[in-house]
Amino acid sequence: MADIIKLLPDHVANQIAAGEVVQRPASVVKELLENAIDAGASTIKLIVKDAGKTLIQIIDDGKGMSDTDARMSFERHATSKITTADDLFNLNTKGFRGEALASIAAVAHVELKTRPEGAEVGTRIEIEGSKINAQEVCATPKGTSLSVKNLFFNIPARRNFLKSNSVELRHVIDEFQRVSLAHPDIAFAMYHNEGELFQLPQGNLKQRIVNIFGGKTNEKLVPVQEETDILTINGFVVKPEFSKKTRGEQFFFVNDRFIKSAYLNHAVTAAFDGLLPERARASYFLYLKVDPSTIDINIHPTKTEIKFDDEHALYAMLRSTIKHSLGQFSIAPVLDFNRDSELDTPYDYKNKGIVTPKIEVDRTFNPFENVAPPKRGAQRPEFEKPSAAGWENMYEGMESQATAVSTMTFEKEVSTPDMFESGLNGTMQNISTSPSKDESSTYQLNNKYIVSTIKSGMVIIDQHRAHQRVLYEEFLRNITVKESVSQQLLFPLTLAYSTTELALIEELKAGLENTGFIFGTISGDILEINGIPTSITESQVPVVIDQLLSDLENEVPDSGFSQTDTLAKSMAKSLAVKGGVSLDNMSREHLVNSLFACKEPSISPTNRKTFVTMTSEDLERKFK
């Protein structure tokens, strides 16, 4: 039998490895940023064009490479981070596998310029699909500049499956934020299509968080700090009232490496138990320091998953530390049995200022006035006991003030009619009231369902889902036909958002304007709104936009139609009348008529039933 097993060529092996290491432009950004950090850079610049599809360039001022190291860096499993297998259990660097540069060079055009400190000239290497086209001497600053152009140029299927520029840019920004948050002592800058997105100077951890997520973040942070023999915890959690519906601001770092851990995230959620609003998620920036020998990072090429020796101990410490911080800074209620409650300032006087007490003097008082003092043991006239003979005089005039019990009126208790209370003809009356002939034929059940009659029986409508369908088609029609009506605000509304969130809003700006929004200037982290749709109030604007950002991050639309659809769905979900809200007759009838005027009245925008019908035959079967 002929031998059939063959050793794959290097360029084929590199392309196979690139399938896991390089999944999208953000993967390249992550690997190159981590290489720059391992090189000891103090300033790192990221330049991106077309969300990384055309160009990704990393410029750092690290130690650089010699011409031999520069050539070796593109070989598979070539690394300066480890030398033996034992080094895997004592990792202090970002990279160690030696696969990144070889995988990137296999699927892109790569140009490397590098010069170590002390050398007069540097080295330039040009690679195209693992093939070295040029290696020459060049003049370049100290450090390394690596450009990745035309990603996946030789894998058309992979390139075609990349999302739109806006979606890929969000992933690039996510990776940039994760790396920059882990190293506040390094200055970072990011540029996209010749526009500056981030300029992060060196500073402490809190300054880095504020520089990335906006100045308003400063007042939202609660410090967390604890040091034990096996774990050191440092960082911040966000106050419960500023929590969001998305996981966008949840960051775990272990030994300055971003990780994802559902188990540790549950510990944080448990610490916030009872403090978060409904469906809100805790936001945090937590940095854990553990012994490198107690963790295993070599699980996946992306290195975002870590195995711990004792996860249960970390869970308990993390949960108790966050609970302690929330109580220490009066975010969560605590019980202090040693505190004397009598020394507390009353709530009425808590915010009052210090006022000089007023002294009142009776200037007409004369101590030498000739008034006979009362005799010892004598009682004052007003306290003289009435005589037994005249006790009837105490009750004179009471007869006119007395009120007969029969003429008194009392507040009646709210009576709930019995469901089976029958009228004169023995027929069942309405659930809430007994309607007269002129009243509406729609009724509300439990402030959640609308019951209406039809020819064949009755229809029961879910008011929240029905209103969602009505608003969804209305917003979709306004966005596509562009016939919306706006109401101008007397004073512009200013809202603070992070750079990533503002990029999402910019992306949907045209669609939002078609629904009735009028935007002013967008500068820094401030969004200015000058007009809003007539169907919402000014207080509902932050709720609508927050819900929209949440839906966009969860669904990640990548086409114009899906963006429009997501926008209409999100606004309809935010503004639809909720279950538990009482509606009057006119509102109920209008909602029913509007629902059955829709193109798809039977399902909500999320493909759930809006109503069910019960025919007379169905009711008869119920009584058999």
Side-chain angles (χ1 to χ4, degrees):
M1 180 178 176
D3 299 333
I4 60 174
I5 298 178
K6 299 178 182 179
L7 189 65
L8 288 174
D10 285 343
H11 69 278
V12 177
N14 288 338
Q15 284 196 8
I16 294 173
E20 285 208 358
V21 178
V22 185
Q23 300 173 358
R24 61 195 332 150
S27 307
V28 177
V29 170
K30 174 183 179 293
E31 298 293 342
L32 298 185
L33 285 175
E34 290 182 347
N35 283 345
I37 292 171
D38 288 339
S42 60
T43 302
I44 300 176
K45 184 184 296 184
L46 169 63
I47 301 173
V48 178
K49 287 187 178 179
D50 298 330
K53 298 176 183 177
T54 303
L55 171 68
I56 299 172
Q57 184 177 8
I58 301 288
I59 304 172
D60 67 71
D61 59 353
K63 56 188 176 184
M65 293 180 285
S66 63
D67 54 351
T68 305
D69 286 344
R71 175 64 185 83
M72 280 292 295
S73 65
F74 290 98
E75 296 294 333
R76 291 187 68 215
H77 308 305
T79 180
S80 62
K81 316 297 172 60
I82 61 174
T83 55
T84 64
D86 294 336
D87 294 338
L88 288 172
F89 303 103
N90 191 25
L91 289 171
N92 295 304
T93 57
K94 298 290 185 183
F96 56 88
R97 299 172 64 97
E99 292 180 323
L101 288 182
S103 300
I104 294 170
V107 293
H109 298 158
V110 178
E111 182 186 33
L112 171 69
K113 293 181 181 180
T114 181
R115 180 175 72 85
E117 188 174 7
E120 295 183 355
V121 293
T123 303
R124 176 182 175 274
I125 296 179
E126 186 178 324
I127 301 179
E128 180 181 335
S130 296
K131 180 183 177 182
I132 298 178
N133 292 337
Q135 180 173 353
E136 58 191 10
V137 174
C138 71
T140 184
K142 168 187 169 290
T144 302
S145 171
L146 199 147
S147 302
V148 179
K149 304 175 183 177
N150 304 322
L151 188 63
F152 299 129
F153 78 99
N154 52 357
I155 310 179
R158 176 68 69 88
R159 187 174 180 88
N160 290 337
F161 274 98
L162 291 178
K163 303 293 184 181
S164 64
N165 286 354
S166 57
V167 175
E168 294 298 340
L169 178 61
R170 288 205 296 273
H171 287 287
V172 171
I173 291 176
D174 287 343
E175 293 295 346
F176 176 82
Q177 289 178 349
R178 292 167 182 173
V179 175
S180 59
L181 281 171
H183 299 275
D185 56 328
I186 300 176
F188 287 87
M190 179 178 176
Y191 302 88
H192 179 248
N193 291 343
E194 300 180 359
E196 181 183 292
L197 292 184
F198 293 96
Q199 190 66 247
L200 309 176
Q202 296 179 352
N204 57 33
L205 175 58
K206 191 170 188 178
Q207 290 171 339
R208 178 56 52 88
I209 295 173
V210 171
N211 287 334
I212 291 177
F213 295 98
K216 297 288 185 180
T217 312
N218 190 26
E219 62 187 27
K220 305 176 184 178
L221 301 178
V222 177
V224 176
Q225 191 167 6
E226 187 63 50
E227 186 172 352
T228 64
D229 295 336
I230 63 174
L231 174 68
T232 300
I233 303 174
N234 187 29
F236 299 91
V237 294
V238 177
K239 295 178 182 178
E241 58 265 30
F242 298 107
S243 58
K244 297 186 176 182
K245 296 182 179 180
T246 64
R247 299 181 183 270
E249 294 182 6
Q250 295 183 342
F251 295 91
F252 267 123
F253 299 92
V254 175
N255 295 351
D256 293 334
R257 185 190 302 276
F258 174 79
I259 69 161
K260 297 178 181 178
S261 174
Y263 188 68
L264 295 182
N265 178 70
H266 189 274
V268 179
T269 305
F272 277 89
D273 188 26
L275 298 176
L276 292 174
E278 186 180 0
R279 296 181 181 176
R281 303 179 187 274
S283 300
Y284 50 81
F285 308 87
L286 296 174
Y287 297 74
L288 282 63
K289 292 284 186 181
V290 298
D291 186 356
S293 62
T294 62
I295 59 176
D296 184 10
I297 304 172
N298 191 23
I299 297 175
H300 192 272
T302 58
K303 299 184 282 291
T304 56
E305 298 178 18
I306 290 183
K307 293 295 183 184
F308 298 92
D309 274 358
D310 191 357
E311 281 188 329
H312 298 291
L314 297 181
Y315 183 99
M317 291 179 187
L318 185 61
R319 179 175 175 271
S320 61
T321 300
I322 295 175
K323 267 189 166 298
H324 174 71
S325 294
L326 293 175
Q328 183 181 5
F329 291 92
S330 301
I331 306 300
V334 294
L335 293 176
D336 186 358
F337 296 101
N338 297 323
R339 179 177 58 86
D340 187 359
S341 59
E342 294 184 358
L343 298 178
D344 291 347
T345 304
Y347 287 110
D348 296 341
Y349 294 89
K350 188 174 182 180
N351 299 322
K352 288 187 176 181
I354 300 175
V355 180
T356 305
K358 295 181 179 180
I359 301 175
E360 296 182 358
V361 179
D362 185 5
R363 301 186 180 277
T364 63
F365 175 70
N366 185 0
F368 303 102
E369 187 176 357
N370 189 12
V371 177
K375 296 180 180 180
R376 185 183 298 271
Q379 292 183 344
R380 294 185 179 271
E382 58 270 21
F383 294 107
E384 289 182 356
K385 295 181 180 180
S387 62
W391 66 270
E392 296 92 346
N393 299 331
M394 295 177 62
Y395 298 95
E396 288 182 358
M398 293 293 290
E399 295 84 354
S400 60
Q401 297 178 9
T403 305
V405 177
S406 59
T407 61
M408 296 178 66
T409 58
F410 298 93
E411 184 179 356
K412 294 184 179 180
E413 294 184 358
V414 179
S415 60
T416 304
D418 190 359
M419 182 175 178
F420 301 102
E421 193 175 289
S422 58
L424 297 175
N425 299 326
T427 57
M428 186 177 69
Q429 300 294 329
N430 178 256
I431 294 173
S432 57
T433 55
S434 302
S436 62
K437 293 182 179 179
D438 342 45
E439 286 191 353
S440 167
S441 60
T442 61
Y443 315 108
Q444 196 172 17
L445 178 63
N446 293 339
N447 286 342
K448 185 176 181 181
Y449 302 103
I450 298 175
V451 182
S452 181
T453 58
I454 54 177
K455 291 182 179 179
S456 59
M458 66 178 178
V459 59
I460 305 172
I461 302 170
D462 186 309
Q463 64 185 34
H464 178 61
R465 296 181 189 177
H467 201 203
Q468 276 193 55
R469 165 54 64 178
V470 173
L471 293 177
Y472 168 72
E473 294 197 4
E474 179 185 342
F475 288 132
L476 204 59
R477 187 166 53 251
N478 289 342
I479 295 172
T480 53
V481 182
K482 303 180 182 179
E483 292 181 351
S484 60
V485 180
S486 302
Q487 54 179 340
Q488 292 284 340
L489 296 177
L490 184 60
F491 300 102
L493 181 63
T494 56
L495 302 173
Y497 294 100
S498 65
T499 305
T500 309
E501 292 170 336
L502 286 177
L504 283 173
I505 295 173
E506 280 275 13
E507 183 182 334
L508 292 173
K509 187 176 178 181
L512 287 169
E513 287 176 343
N514 290 338
T515 63
F517 283 96
I518 300 176
F519 294 99
T521 57
I522 301 177
S523 59
D525 57 348
I526 299 298
L527 172 68
E528 184 180 285
I529 300 176
N530 295 326
I532 58 177
T534 54
S535 57
I536 68 175
T537 61
E538 187 174 344
S539 60
Q540 292 176 313
V541 173
V543 179
V544 171
I545 295 182
D546 288 344
Q547 181 67 53
L548 175 61
L549 293 174
S550 172
D551 293 339
L552 285 174
E553 290 183 11
N554 290 334
E555 297 190 18
V556 194
D558 58 347
S559 65
F561 174 76
S562 59
Q563 283 184 355
T564 301
D565 187 65
T566 303
L567 173 59
K569 283 181 181 177
S570 177
M571 293 186 64
K573 182 164 59 176
S574 303
L575 300 174
V577 61
K578 303 294 188 293
V581 177
S582 178
L583 301 178
D584 56 22
N585 292 340
M586 188 178 298
S587 301
R588 294 196 299 263
E589 290 184 2
H590 178 71
L591 180 56
V592 172
N593 295 333
S594 301
L595 174 64
F596 290 105
C598 293
K599 294 181 179 179
E600 292 287 344
S602 59
I603 56 173
S604 70
T606 54
N607 294 325
R608 305 178 72 180
K609 282 186 178 180
T610 56
F611 65 87
V612 293
T613 57
M614 291 190 69
T615 63
S616 301
E617 291 78 10
D618 294 334
L619 289 173
E620 290 176 1
R621 281 195 292 267
K622 296 289 184 183
F623 292 98
K624 287 183 179 179

